[in-house]
Amino acid sequence: MYKILRYCLFLFPTETSHYLTLNALKLAHSLGLTRLLFGTEKNAPTRVFGLQFKNPIGIGAGLDKNGDYIDALSDLNVGFIEVGAITPKPQVGNTKPRLFRLKKDQAIINRMGFNNKGVDHLVKNLANKKTTCLIGVNLGKNKDTPLTEAKDDYIYCLKQVYAYCDFLTINISSPNTPDLRKLQTAEYLTTLLQSVKNARDDCATQQQKYVPLLVKLSPDLNDAELIMILDTINHIGLEGIIATNTTTTRSDALRSLLAKELGGLSGKPLQSLSMASLQKIKQHSEKLPVISIGGIDSVNEANRRFAHGASLIQLYTGLIYQGPGLLKKILRSVSKISHDSS
């Protein structure tokens, strides 16, 4: 059934089909149909960052930037949903077209540019959500904020959403905001991460609620850059990593005509880079929890990430190409392993 639906959706421009799908899901949720359509699966409780996840499978940031579809997405029986990236002020993002479907490569290129309705809109949605599904918020900066003042944008968003979320992600790895990835360099990194952590600690004291703080990294870092970032994260004492964001690299093996479009590449071609990042992170910082995302499009690939040390995984492009059935298949496999080892 999903193959037929996907064929129809793929007749539309990529960004149009994205919102058609989400709005259809939201309508089905409002009619009480999503539970009937997707059912429920045996869960595999997982404790990470001091949080209890009903299962270790989540939806990556970018699918629901503004938290407009949280309750509907939770009906897919995921363990968590990450919304965002969010910025202090609303921004329209980059010029359209900015989202490209590479069907032959099971991939997507996006250069959205942190388009979102602003943090105040997200806060309203978080405050009104009905689901008990754990929610992460991906924090970004506005395009016109200088890098020297970037920490102020992250801190502002953190303070606004703190009471309504379960974990926070510092996104310094999107390739679609000019110079954002420079925040991963030694020039900015320590000051940024320490400042945001201090703000988190202040919120934790004031609100008597501890929200883990993660960092989302690029798959395009070289080994020296990655080790420097890991050492900084460990020194400051952040709780974990999301690996990885999209890549700006392009393999000669890509077959789609749109492969040379600018932006971040996700899906099947990102698989090896994301996997390599996970392995390097665990080799250098074995105890640092990692959420693995990038090219997870099968049960085997999901199990491979867990086998190499991922505490949790997130789906995005694989979910678009494979449909909700992918999530159910992975959950069945994870539940079986959890049951067999218990």
Side-chain angles (χ1 to χ4, degrees):
M1 183 182 294
Y2 183 74
K3 287 183 179 180
I4 298 172
L5 178 60
R6 184 183 65 189
Y7 174 82
C8 296
L9 288 169
F10 279 14
L11 295 174
F12 294 93
T14 309
E15 193 166 347
T16 301
S17 63
H18 175 89
Y19 288 109
L20 281 174
T21 302
L22 288 173
N23 284 315
L25 185 66
K26 189 171 185 177
L27 176 61
H29 168 78
S30 68
L31 296 173
L33 298 176
T34 42
R35 294 285 177 138
L36 294 174
L37 288 170
F38 304 117
T40 57
E41 296 290 334
K42 191 180 296 183
N43 277 316
T46 304
R47 191 164 184 82
V48 188
F49 317 125
L51 299 173
Q52 187 70 25
F53 296 80
K54 71 175 184 178
N55 67 63
I57 308 163
I59 292 176
L63 189 68
D64 183 9
K65 293 178 181 291
N66 300 294
D68 292 325
Y69 307 96
I70 291 174
D71 289 328
L73 287 170
S74 70
D75 283 349
L76 299 179
N77 203 30
V78 290
F80 62 106
I81 299 167
E82 187 178 4
V83 297
I86 201 72
T87 56
K89 298 178 293 184
Q91 58 183 30
V92 297
N94 294 322
T95 304
K96 297 179 181 179
R98 54 194 181 179
L99 195 62
F100 306 91
R101 193 184 297 118
L102 280 59
K103 290 186 284 187
K104 292 181 179 179
D105 301 297
Q106 298 277 294
I108 288 174
I109 291 175
N110 96 79
R111 52 172 182 260
M112 303 294 282
F114 284 171
N115 59 307
N116 72 99
K117 299 175 184 177
V119 70
D120 290 343
H121 178 88
L122 174 62
V123 166
K124 290 177 182 177
N125 284 335
L126 293 175
N128 293 323
K129 68 180 176 65
K130 303 295 191 297
T131 182
T132 58
C133 181
L134 296 188
I135 304 297
V137 176
N138 190 288
L139 308 174
K141 81 168 191 73
N142 280 115
K143 183 178 180 179
D144 59 359
T145 301
L147 293 183
T148 53
E149 299 172 18
K151 66 180 184 301
D152 298 330
D153 278 14
Y154 290 97
I155 290 169
Y156 180 83
C157 289
L158 178 148
K159 289 180 177 178
Q160 298 303 109
V161 304
Y162 194 88
Y164 305 101
C165 65
D166 300 291
F167 68 88
L168 292 156
T169 304
I170 304 171
N171 187 342
I172 51 176
S173 53
S174 170
N176 301 315
T177 294
D179 294 330
L180 184 80
R181 286 187 169 187
K182 287 184 179 179
L183 294 174
Q184 296 177 122
T185 65
E187 181 180 0
Y188 299 101
L189 186 70
T190 300
T191 299
L192 172 68
L193 297 188
Q194 188 65 65
S195 299
V196 179
K197 180 180 182 290
N198 291 344
R200 189 280 307 271
D201 292 346
D202 289 343
C203 286
T205 299
Q206 294 164 6
Q207 300 187 31
Q208 293 296 293
K209 175 187 177 183
Y210 190 76
V211 177
L213 192 58
L214 318 180
V215 182
K216 189 166 187 176
L217 299 181
S218 164
D220 302 329
L221 297 164
N222 63 41
D223 289 355
E225 291 168 334
L226 179 59
I227 288 171
M228 182 277 293
I229 293 171
L230 292 174
D231 287 344
T232 303
I233 288 171
N234 285 322
H235 175 72
I236 291 173
L238 302 185
E239 283 74 27
I241 287 174
I242 299 182
T244 61
N245 215 313
T246 57
T247 180
T248 57
T249 64
R250 299 291 187 269
S251 165
D252 291 337
L254 293 174
R255 298 178 295 158
S256 300
L257 296 177
L258 296 171
K260 293 186 178 180
E261 288 287 348
L262 296 177
L265 176 70
S266 64
K268 191 84 169 180
L270 180 58
Q271 194 173 88
S272 59
L273 283 173
S274 180
M275 182 66 192
S277 294
L278 171 63
Q279 291 175 298
K280 291 173 185 176
I281 291 166
K282 297 307 291 186
Q283 286 167 4
H284 185 76
S285 302
E286 182 181 0
K287 294 183 180 179
L288 192 64
V290 178
I291 301 177
S292 186
I293 179 173
I296 301 175
D297 59 359
S298 67
V299 172
N300 286 342
E301 187 60 29
N303 288 337
R304 199 160 72 103
R305 303 299 173 96
F306 290 127
H308 283 86
S311 299
L312 306 166
I313 63 169
Q314 287 177 315
L315 305 179
Y316 190 142
T317 304
L319 193 60
I320 292 170
Y321 280 97
Q322 308 297 331
L326 172 63
L327 206 158
K328 293 180 73 172
K329 289 174 185 176
I330 295 173
L331 185 51
R332 285 174 189 157
S333 175
V334 171
S335 299
K336 184 177 186 301
I337 292 171
S338 176
H339 177 75
D340 289 347
S341 61
S342 61

